[in-house]
Amino acid sequence: MKILILGADGYLGWPTAMHLANKGHSVLAVDNYARRTMALETSSEALFAAPNLLERAKIFKESTGEEIDVRIGDCAEMDFIGEIVRDFQPECVVHYAEQPSAPYSMRGPREARFTLENNLGTTFSLIWAMIQHAPNCHMVKLGTMGEYGTPNIDIEEGWIDINHNGRSDKFLFPRQAGSLYHTTKVLDTDLLWFYVRTYGLAVTDLMQGPVYGISTAESDLDDRLMPHFHYDDIFGTVVNRFVTQAVSGVPLTVYGKGGQTRGYLNLNDTLQCVELATNSPAEKGELRVLNQFTEQFSVNQLAEKVSEVGNRLGLNVEINSVENPRKELEDHYYNAKHSGLLDLGLEPNLLTDDIMAGIITKVQQYQSSIDKSKILPRVKWS
Ligand SMILES: NC(=O)c1ccc[n+]([C@@H]2O[C@H](COP(=O)([O-])OP(=O)(O)OC[C@H]3O[C@@H](n4cnc5c(N)ncnc54)[C@H](O)[C@@H]3O)[C@@H](O)[C@H]2O)c1
């Protein structure tokens, strides 16, 4: 299949590009290095410096013989993305190209505006590129479980049937996000639904939980192929942050009471889910929503897991509750459905002690690069 990957230099985009190229797909990888720039601007550099996208593609070719084509540019620019879609004629586009950090989006008006314009801009420009140049192409769009917030009812898989005054209809499940970043994802979903029902596009919107991990089959071939690994308070996801804190002897920073519960998944399961969605596309005129996570944990449960495994590996892991910089419920009901991807064939890699030990051991190799000044929360919601 001809697959276009937007945001292909990112934590998820690069492993996805390698994985799909290794499966024999023809992959075109696009990025504008926005993440690298934001990381530099906020002193949030990754644990190790990754080669740029062109160099990564070259190293990948040397390791596997497989090609990944690369284009550098801004996917929010309609002309740029329009030309790419027109010339490449993808059968599937995997859309990762957004600003993905909640704290970054809450840092101030400049960052908020960038997040809003960039995230809606890339989605909008891609929609029009598809309408004009590849109307039969399937879009696999990365959303987030954070779109739903933490309602006091079960979270359905995208859609809900509502009975009201004796009549019933089906609607997008109510969304109430907890940061501006998550709100841009809600707006993306609405935008997609409008264009799907009006122009007959085929879209899969993956409501993904926080991802953890650093190793995939392809990144294990050469350390220079590893994804960016962020452990700071702005760009690091919670498991990756806790592991790095454990390795560097900083007490794990549990925000507030630590009862915040979310659905998590292994980086390798992101690759599986995206591949499964790609292989069985949504119908034209369908907005298929799949909740993409494999198991639920509270922040306290994650901290305990990291601490147990870390201590067994000889670390001295402490857990410390710090003032919560976010506005969120710290103790709440959470039960989210997630059967769609399992039905498509997902075989979850759960967060076992072995998996956790593997992440810890990998991070230990880079222990001397950890900058402890990036660990405590630097951005408050208000
Ligand atoms: N990592 C997670 O835990 C997680 C969880 C849920 C959803 N997501 C979503 O998955 C997607 C990928 O996340 P990630 O963790 O890999 O983030 P990332 O920041 O590492 O990757 C996103 C990539 O998109 C690029 N990009 C952003 N704007 C662009 C633009 N205008 N033009 C071209 N490239 C642009 C960035 O430079 C970056 O390389 C995001 O949409 C994110 O919201 C991620």
Side-chain angles (χ1 to χ4, degrees):
M1 215 185 289
K2 289 172 88 170
I3 303 180
L4 176 60
I5 301 181
L6 308 184
D9 187 52
Y11 173 52
L12 306 179
W14 175 241
T16 306
M18 292 193 291
H19 179 73
L20 294 176
N22 237 359
K23 290 284 172 100
H25 297 293
S26 163
V27 172
L28 176 57
V30 183
D31 206 290
N32 67 347
Y33 299 133
R35 168 64 168 261
R36 293 181 188 241
T37 309
M38 287 182 285
L40 269 174
E41 278 171 8
T42 56
S43 295
S44 307
E45 293 89 347
L47 184 57
F48 42 83
N52 71 36
L53 194 49
L54 286 155
E55 287 164 4
R56 286 169 140 184
K58 209 167 137 215
I59 299 164
F60 178 69
K61 173 133 198 240
E62 284 158 14
S63 306
T64 62
E66 302 293 342
E67 297 264 2
I68 294 176
D69 284 331
V70 172
R71 287 284 303 275
I72 302 301
D74 183 351
C75 298
E77 289 292 332
M78 292 187 87
D79 289 348
F80 173 73
I81 194 67
E83 278 168 27
I84 286 183
V85 171
R86 184 195 64 202
D87 296 347
F88 184 62
Q89 285 295 308
E91 291 155 84
C92 181
V93 184
V94 181
H95 174 19
Y96 286 121
E98 299 208 347
Q99 189 300 101
S101 158
Y104 184 87
S105 75
M106 302 297 287
R107 200 163 174 256
R110 198 184 67 84
E111 293 85 351
R113 187 181 168 135
F114 173 75
T115 306
L116 185 69
E117 290 183 350
N118 186 63
N119 293 2
L120 270 293
T122 56
T123 302
F124 182 78
S125 298
L126 174 60
I127 287 171
W128 271 103
M130 285 172 53
I131 290 172
Q132 292 182 307
H133 304 295
N136 296 323
C137 173
H138 173 217
M139 185 196 305
V140 175
K141 158 75 171 50
L142 267 289
T144 158
M145 285 299 293
E147 291 185 35
Y148 301 121
T150 51
N152 199 29
I153 59 172
D154 291 344
I155 295 173
E156 299 298 321
E157 205 139 5
W159 298 89
I160 187 167
D161 292 314
I162 294 186
N163 292 307
H164 182 62
N165 293 345
R167 306 182 67 82
S168 63
D169 207 341
K170 188 175 164 187
F171 297 93
L172 283 168
F173 190 87
R175 281 146 160 88
Q176 39 193 3
S179 77
L180 179 75
Y181 152 66
H182 291 101
T183 301
T184 64
K185 294 291 199 184
V186 175
L187 298 171
D188 276 344
T189 298
D190 262 334
L191 202 58
L192 289 168
W193 177 217
F194 170 72
Y195 280 102
V196 162
R197 66 181 190 266
T198 309
Y199 288 78
L201 295 180
V203 176
T204 298
D205 203 353
L206 297 172
M207 299 296 132
Q208 181 174 242
V211 182
Y212 57 82
I214 189 167
S215 280
T216 69
E218 290 79 20
S219 73
D220 286 347
L221 297 170
D222 185 320
D223 269 9
R224 293 171 299 167
L225 295 177
M226 287 199 299
H228 299 295
F229 186 87
H230 286 266
Y231 60 95
D232 62 276
D233 62 310
I234 297 179
F235 290 104
T237 49
V238 59
V239 176
N240 294 353
R241 279 194 280 126
F242 280 175
V243 165
T244 312
Q245 292 167 6
V247 168
S248 61
V250 172
L252 311 191
T253 52
V254 168
Y255 294 170
K257 289 189 206 158
Q260 301 91 319
T261 301
R262 306 285 186 268
Y264 292 85
L265 75 162
N266 189 305
L267 174 58
N268 288 289
D269 289 345
T270 295
L271 304 187
Q272 268 196 75
C273 292
V274 168
E275 187 183 5
L276 288 166
T278 303
N279 285 342
S280 57
E283 302 286 331
K284 276 179 77 64
E286 181 191 10
L287 175 65
R288 176 176 60 168
V289 183
L290 300 168
N291 291 347
Q292 181 166 313
F293 69 94
T294 56
E295 48 192 336
Q296 289 187 188
F297 295 107
S298 70
V299 172
N300 285 329
Q301 286 171 323
L302 289 175
E304 275 151 30
K305 236 175 198 309
V306 173
S307 147
E308 259 172 49
V309 179
N311 287 336
R312 212 172 302 144
L313 291 172
L315 300 170
N316 182 17
V317 185
E318 287 174 37
I319 300 175
N320 188 19
S321 167
V322 300
E323 188 193 340
N324 193 345
R326 305 178 178 214
K327 274 205 174 153
E328 62 186 359
L329 295 178
E330 295 174 2
D331 198 3
H332 57 89
Y333 180 77
Y334 199 78
N335 184 33
K337 308 268 174 74
H338 57 115
S339 58
L341 283 155
L342 294 169
D343 292 345
L344 288 180
L346 172 65
E347 292 175 10
N349 292 284
L350 300 179
L351 188 50
T352 59
D353 288 0
D354 279 354
I355 296 270
M356 182 66 85
I359 307 173
I360 294 176
T361 312
K362 194 80 194 173
V363 171
Q364 278 178 315
Q365 292 173 16
Y366 293 89
Q367 186 170 357
S368 60
S369 309
I370 299 172
D371 176 351
K372 292 186 191 174
S373 71
K374 295 174 181 166
I375 284 177
L376 290 176
R378 291 171 290 176
V379 179
K380 284 195 173 184
W381 262 221
S382 57

